[in-house]
Amino acid sequence: MDSSFSARSVRLETGRLLLRPWTTEDLDDFYSYARIPGLGEMAGWPHHKNREESRKILENFMAKDDVLALVDRPSGRVIGSLGVHLPAYRLPLFLNHQRVWELGYALHKDYWGQGLMPEAVRALSSHLFMEEGANALVAYRHPDNCQSGRVMEKSGFLYNRILAGQETVRQEYILTREAYLVMTGQKPSFESDYTAGCHPAILEDLIRTNQEETSGYGLDPYSEEARSLIRDACLQPAAHVHFLVGGTQANLIAAAACLKPWQGVISADTGHINVHETGAIEATGHKVLVLPSGDGKIGVGDIDRFCQGLDEDPTREHMVQPGMIYLSQPTELGTVYSREELTAIRRVADRWKLILYIDGARLASALDQPAPGLAEIARIAHLFTIGGTKCGALFGEALVILEDRLKEDFRSLIKQRGGLLAKGRLLGLQFAALFKDGLYYEIGRRQNALARRLAEGFTKAGIPFYAEPQSNQIFVILTGEEEAAYRERALFERIMPLSGGRAVCRFVTSYATSELHIDRLFLGS
């Protein structure tokens, strides 16, 4: 495929900038920023020692015809460069046989912090996708060059992976044509964190191993690697780790394993097993014992009083007895249990001989908090899930069992409940990718950073919150007029109506959300 690019006929204008080919008259401007110590080094090249060095490099720009001059329109001064090159590194497999270019850029230090480079990158990206037929664009940065990472994210690029060579380490960012079209032409979606496919790093591993033949039912090397990585992350070498397709499946299997026939599971009234699983727990023969909750959490005192009341009831043998406590981390309202709260609930669970089960469907978001880390959750819970579907995977949940009495014959229970996937390696591969190189934690950090940006936008717009923003789910209270206005710009869910024509609406960020999505949401606010 012909992937040549020529800057010769390109002339792009934005509100503040002009992108055009270089000329020999640009030498003084070029040298004025290229000689600044540190500027070139951040982009991967040494700053220029003298004007003659700049002249030779400028001539090389013009000869290769793949670098554009970045002109400040008010002054007419060249303040940076933006290059379009063949990728310097081996591309992910899903980009093989595609038209892909690498972008490289530099900007005069006097113009930093004004949003000029994202403005230029967006203009050039539009040209490359719409006029030059690009399928994807890639960009690389050194891990210490945080400013470059911000440029990429503001321009819609998504972090993909770390490339470690013998002498250099680079972080790779990708913007595909499909993502660009969604970002610019369609309403961005804040409906949930599973509306996109999966993180590119996971997709690459799935493609790379597609023709391999391995043992089934999770007995393959990739699933074992994932189990080992999760045990290491939990600091629990004796933990049993099982991979399941979805959250409801994981929850009902956990309940079936933990509860005796006359027992039920304590849950917040907002708990997923109570309101969004179509009676899946009840279908296992167990009742959901509901406790009221104002913020998605159940308090340790409420659990203790509930158990105490049953214990003192003379007719208790005629009643469903609690056998398990179900918590979501984060909760269905996006709130996050603190270390102290979870520890206290575990103490109450031990007092009443209950199993503590934590549903971690969105656990990546909860781990980017001053809340319990993965090792602490593994120490506190008897069993818990690590969500994949809502945390960058195509599908899948990892169920981690710490309690020894629950481990025996667990695979038989999974099989009986229809959860033992024949092509189990598809689950193992994804969790191995998530837990290699810290991708799971990076996804959580990104989701939360974008959610904070969302929350700031609502705050500036004077929109009240239904629940305190703590994770990647933001719940706001909108009037009918406000809801209609936001629906013109984005997709999101209405959770429940309130009095006076108002409603609680939910906005969710994911690995695929971009800052441009959020900017479009608040356009004109």
Side-chain angles (χ1 to χ4, degrees), residues 67-78:
V67 180
L68 293 162
L70 190 60
V71 180
D72 174 52
R73 290 181 63 187
S75 67
R77 181 186 185 190
V78 175

Side-chain angles (χ1 to χ4, degrees), residues 148-320:
S148 183
R150 292 285 293 163
V151 168
M152 296 175 194
E153 290 173 356
K154 288 182 177 181
S155 305
F157 283 67
L158 177 67
Y159 168 78
N160 184 46
R161 59 179 175 170
I162 293 177
L163 300 170
Q166 292 183 344
E167 299 180 358
T168 61
V169 175
R170 290 289 182 269
Q171 291 182 345
E172 179 182 72
Y173 289 72
I174 296 174
L175 176 62
T176 64
R177 177 181 174 84
E178 292 78 10
Y180 171 81
L181 292 175
V182 169
M183 186 173 65
T184 57
Q186 300 180 24
K187 292 180 182 179
S189 175
F190 298 97
E191 290 177 293
S192 193
D193 32 21
Y194 51 77
T195 53
C198 66
H199 192 282
I202 293 174
L203 183 60
E204 180 183 1
D205 280 357
L206 290 169
I207 293 172
R208 176 177 55 80
T209 62
N210 187 53
Q211 296 303 318
E212 292 185 21
E213 296 185 359
T214 60
S215 298
Y217 302 106
L219 300 177
D220 59 278
Y222 298 109
S223 296
E224 185 51 45
E225 178 188 13
R227 282 190 283 269
S228 179
L229 288 167
I230 289 173
R231 290 190 193 106
D232 290 346
C234 294
L235 303 181
Q236 295 285 345
H240 281 200
V241 182
H242 302 277
F243 300 112
L244 298 160
V245 172
T248 297
Q249 184 185 71
N251 291 340
L252 71 87
I253 289 174
C258 295
L259 299 176
K260 296 174 181 177
W262 58 88
Q263 290 180 324
V265 51
I266 295 173
S267 167
D269 54 7
T270 55
H272 202 272
I273 61 171
N274 186 48
V275 295
H276 285 142
E277 296 190 0
T278 328
I281 300 300
E282 289 86 345
T284 69
H286 303 286
K287 185 176 182 179
V288 179
L289 304 170
V290 177
L291 295 182
S293 170
D295 61 356
K297 301 180 186 179
I298 44 177
V300 63
D302 293 332
I303 299 171
D304 197 35
R305 283 187 291 273
F306 179 79
C307 294
Q308 183 75 39
L310 279 174
D311 187 61
E312 295 173 353
D313 193 315
T315 65
R316 67 182 303 273
E317 65 182 22
H318 301 283
M319 305 171 70
V320 174

Side-chain angles (χ1 to χ4, degrees), residues 390-409:
K390 299 175 181 178
C391 302
L394 199 60
F395 55 86
E397 315 292 306
L399 179 58
V400 183
I401 304 176
L402 295 314
E403 182 68 18
D404 287 340
R405 61 190 166 99
L406 299 175
K407 295 175 181 177
E408 187 175 357
D409 297 327

